[in-house]
């Protein structure tokens, strides 16, 4: 049995994506203990370190399966026990100098271009050249596009790459599914065209939210019976690490990137409110780092701690997804602009304030709020960073959730259990699909929890 898994994080720098990978591989292993589970990646040694139960399928090398037999087993053993851990330590130790080196190289390139042409270097346009479909597809019995928020205008490269893989699987008659997906916003004309060509041919599409995704899939022509709403794959990952007692820290994470614009004024206000409220509540501020990609969480979160009366140590660059989920478990409330930190919190019964400055994150957070409380979204308060009274809105949200945290705890954890059950039921349908059962045509043998 060979399962080829696509994902939205080939560089393995986002702990939320890694948490989803861990759960996907574990659930597949429970069903097929001896299967070869190939995870597409550009960091094969890092994958051995963070996900030893999966086999690296190296995308930039053409995407072949690894070696069989004794040679393959020796390679796996060395990767898991020696090379993988060493690669993690090396990346952690060299991340800072490499980050600055990339900055110097980019500056030098721009300077050369400006001096040569007399004009600034133009911003890249269009989609970079897409890689060929992995050669591992030819031997696969199942193709899974694993959870993530990459099927959107914000990430056209990854969206088209995944669509090409699914289309190739369909041409070869290989069962192909998407699980834990967050779709949209999707307005790009070419992406809409390609999605309408490919997605109706998928055997099953399981979504992590039910507010936007089902309607978008219907517009793209996906039959209703192929659509499930199951929740995020990382819910079970975080739920397992919950603590028996309520935490006491105020967690925070601020991400600023091309797809998450935050003004200087909003950033400053956020920092002032967090430091003030932590002091008023006599609690520590806990910096939470979910993504190490280009330091997008670390370099914007840590400055917010300056001047705070009490703070917790920040996780090291080699820290695991489990480490971050355990940090979250010690919080009573957290404030985050990173989606998966909110998933980690809510799944453990911890309310969160989500701050957003884009349609992309609006869709993520409103969909997540709906999954955890369809009536009032009481456990996840969403604050837009462009509101006029940002100070007052943030302060009110933090104080209200701080007071209501104990009574929200059981309800949020129950919502997590419901999503865990729905996610596992969705994978049961995938297993029947591969076994040649009724699910092959997109129609389960009996209604499944979470079906839209």
């Amino acid at each position: 049995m060979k399962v080829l898994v696509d994902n939205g994080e080939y560089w393995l720098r986002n702990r939320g994506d890694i948490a989803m990978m861990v759960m996907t591989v574990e659930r597949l292993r429970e069903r097929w203990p001896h299967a070869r589970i190939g995870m597409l990646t550009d960091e094969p040694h890092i994958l051995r370190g963070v996900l030893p139960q999966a086999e690296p399928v190296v995308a930039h090398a053409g995407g072949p399966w690894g070696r069989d037999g004794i040679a393959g087993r020796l390679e796996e053993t060395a990767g898991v026990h020696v090379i993988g851990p060493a690669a993690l330590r090396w990346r952690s130790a060299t991340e800072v100098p490499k980050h600055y080196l990339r900055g110097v190289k980019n500056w030098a390139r721009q300077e050369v271009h400006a001096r040569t042409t007399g004009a600034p270097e133009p911003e890249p346009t269009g989609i970079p050249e897409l890689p060929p479909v992995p050669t591992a597809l030819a031997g696969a019995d199942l193709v899974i596009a694993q959870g993530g928020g990459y099927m959107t205008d914000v990430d056209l490269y990854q969206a088209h790459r995944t669509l090409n893989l699914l289309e190739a699987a369909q041409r070869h008659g290989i069962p192909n599914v998407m699980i834990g997906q967050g779709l949209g916003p999707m307005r790009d004309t070419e992406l809409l065209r390609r999605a309408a060509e490919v997605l109706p041919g998928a055997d099953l599409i399981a979504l992590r939210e039910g507010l936007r995704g089902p309607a978008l899939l219907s517009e793209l022509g996906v039959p209703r019976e192929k659509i499930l709403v199951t929740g995020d794959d990382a819910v079970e990952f975080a739920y397992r690490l919950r603590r028996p007692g309520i935490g006491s820290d105020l967690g925070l994470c601020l991400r600023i990137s091309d797809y998450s614009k935050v003004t200087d004024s909003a950033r400053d206000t956020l920092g002032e409110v967090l430091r003030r409220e932590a002091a008023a509540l006599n609690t520590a501020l806990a910096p939470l780092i979910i993504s190490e990609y280009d330091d997008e969480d670390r370099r914007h979160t840590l400055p917010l701690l300056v001047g705070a009366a009490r703070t917790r140590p920040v996780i090291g660059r080699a820290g695991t997804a489990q480490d971050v989920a355990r940090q979250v478990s010690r919080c009573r409330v957290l404030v985050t602009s990173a989606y998966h930190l909110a998933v980690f919190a809510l799944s453990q019964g911890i309310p969160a304030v989500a701050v957003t400055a884009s349609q992309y994150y609006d869709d993520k957070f409103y969909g997540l709020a709906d999954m955890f409380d369809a009536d009032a979204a009481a456990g996840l308060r969403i604050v837009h960073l462009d509101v006029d009274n940002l100070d007052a809105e943030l302060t009110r949200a933090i104080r209200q959730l701080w007071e209501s945290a104990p009574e929200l705890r059981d309800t949020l954890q129950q919502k997590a259990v419901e999503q865990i059950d729905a996610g596992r039921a969705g994978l049961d349908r995938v297993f029947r699909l591969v076994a040649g059962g009724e699910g092959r045509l997109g129609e389960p043998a009996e209604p499944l929890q979470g079906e839209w």
Side-chain angles (χ1 to χ4, degrees):
M1 183 72 190
K2 290 183 177 179
V3 183
L4 182 62
V5 183
D6 196 13
N7 62 87
E9 228 290 81
Y10 283 21
W11 310 279
L12 299 169
R13 295 179 184 273
N14 187 300
R15 297 179 178 96
D17 289 293
I18 291 171
M20 291 188 291
M21 294 178 188
V22 169
M23 291 314 309
T24 298
V25 172
E26 179 181 312
R27 290 168 176 177
L28 291 171
R29 280 268 173 255
E30 289 174 358
R31 178 67 178 227
W32 297 307
H34 305 295
R36 294 183 68 176
I37 301 173
M39 183 71 68
L40 282 161
T41 183
D42 283 330
E43 295 281 358
H45 300 319
I46 299 293
L47 186 83
R48 290 292 195 191
V50 300
L51 196 59
Q53 287 191 308
E55 173 181 337
V57 174
V58 187
H60 64 251
W65 291 101
R67 290 186 288 181
D68 294 318
I70 295 176
R73 288 196 293 274
L74 289 174
E75 186 177 84
E76 177 184 356
T77 301
V80 170
H81 296 290
V82 180
I83 299 173
L88 285 170
R89 290 193 295 270
W90 174 255
R91 186 166 78 172
S92 173
T94 60
E95 193 68 23
V96 173
K98 285 192 294 186
H99 171 74
Y100 284 110
L101 179 61
R102 286 193 297 269
V104 170
K105 289 172 63 178
N106 290 338
W107 174 84
R109 188 187 67 246
Q110 293 166 2
E111 280 293 301
V112 169
H113 186 276
R115 289 171 185 258
T116 304
T117 66
E121 187 175 26
E123 292 291 329
T125 58
I127 305 170
E129 183 178 356
L130 293 168
V133 171
T135 57
L137 176 72
D141 300 291
L142 171 66
V143 172
I144 296 177
Q146 187 208 271
Y150 50 88
M151 196 60 62
T152 172
D153 297 340
V154 170
D155 207 340
L156 292 174
Y157 179 84
Q158 293 188 46
H160 282 280
R161 182 183 64 195
T162 298
L163 289 171
N164 286 353
L165 176 63
L166 293 173
E167 183 181 56
Q170 292 164 19
R171 284 200 308 267
H172 287 81
I174 301 169
N176 60 106
V177 301
M178 305 180 78
I179 61 174
Q181 291 291 325
L183 305 183
M186 195 182 293
R187 300 186 182 91
D188 181 83
T189 303
E190 179 61 15
L191 179 58
L192 286 168
R193 184 190 70 79
R194 283 292 289 147
E197 284 181 346
V198 176
L199 295 186
D203 294 299
L204 177 72
I205 301 178
L207 301 170
R208 67 187 185 192
E209 55 79 33
L211 283 184
R212 302 284 192 271
L216 176 56
L217 288 177
S218 292
E219 292 171 7
L220 295 170
V222 178
R224 184 185 184 97
E225 63 271 13
K226 292 186 177 183
I227 304 170
L228 298 178
V229 176
T230 59
D232 195 285
D233 297 328
V235 169
E236 183 171 0
F237 179 92
Y239 178 80
R240 292 177 179 179
L241 297 172
R242 68 196 185 283
R243 291 160 62 94
I246 194 166
S248 60
D249 292 347
L250 177 59
L252 73 147
C253 177
L254 177 63
R255 177 177 302 171
I256 301 177
S257 63
D258 292 340
Y259 56 87
S260 178
K261 301 292 187 181
V262 178
T263 65
D264 291 345
S265 175
R267 180 201 60 210
D268 293 343
T269 299
L270 180 63
E272 291 169 6
V273 170
L274 284 163
R275 292 189 296 270
R276 185 185 67 222
E277 291 306 302
L281 297 166
N282 191 28
T283 189
L285 278 178
L288 304 168
I289 309 300
I290 198 82
S291 173
E292 298 289 357
Y293 178 76
D294 200 25
D295 274 352
E296 59 185 358
D297 290 358
R298 191 175 294 272
R299 64 192 170 101
H300 299 298
T301 300
L302 297 188
L304 302 183
L305 301 174
V306 177
R310 295 168 55 202
T311 63
R312 299 297 184 194
V314 66
I315 190 173
R317 294 174 187 275
T320 65
Q322 288 90 341
D323 293 335
V324 174
R326 290 189 183 99
Q327 283 184 314
V328 171
S329 74
R330 294 191 286 270
C331 295
R332 182 180 176 113
V333 172
L334 64 84
V335 179
T336 177
S337 65
Y339 163 82
H340 264 114
L341 280 172
V343 173
F344 282 8
L346 297 173
S347 302
Q348 299 183 69
I350 300 165
V353 179
V355 293
T356 172
S358 68
Q359 182 65 49
Y360 177 63
Y361 272 98
D362 284 354
D363 285 3
K364 282 189 171 191
F365 285 130
Y366 280 110
L368 181 62
D370 181 68
M371 293 300 293
F372 275 89
D373 194 323
D375 296 326
L380 182 65
R381 304 293 175 87
I382 299 170
V383 175
H384 295 270
L385 290 173
D386 58 355
V387 296
D388 294 333
N389 55 343
L390 179 59
D391 188 303
E393 289 286 334
L394 279 171
T395 301
R396 184 182 306 112
I398 292 170
R399 291 182 179 179
Q400 288 178 346
L401 290 181
W402 195 268
E403 290 298 321
S404 59
E407 63 192 66
L408 289 170
R409 193 170 181 83
D410 288 345
T411 300
L412 292 174
Q413 290 185 358
Q414 180 56 41
K415 293 288 184 181
V417 170
E418 293 172 6
Q419 292 173 67
I420 292 167
D421 290 343
R424 287 185 169 273
L427 265 184
D428 284 343
R429 181 164 164 181
V430 174
F431 299 146
R432 295 202 303 272
L433 167 75
V434 176
E438 295 181 59
R440 185 66 185 89
L441 299 177
E443 297 180 358
E446 57 186 24
L448 295 177
Q449 181 179 2
E451 183 167 0
W452 176 70

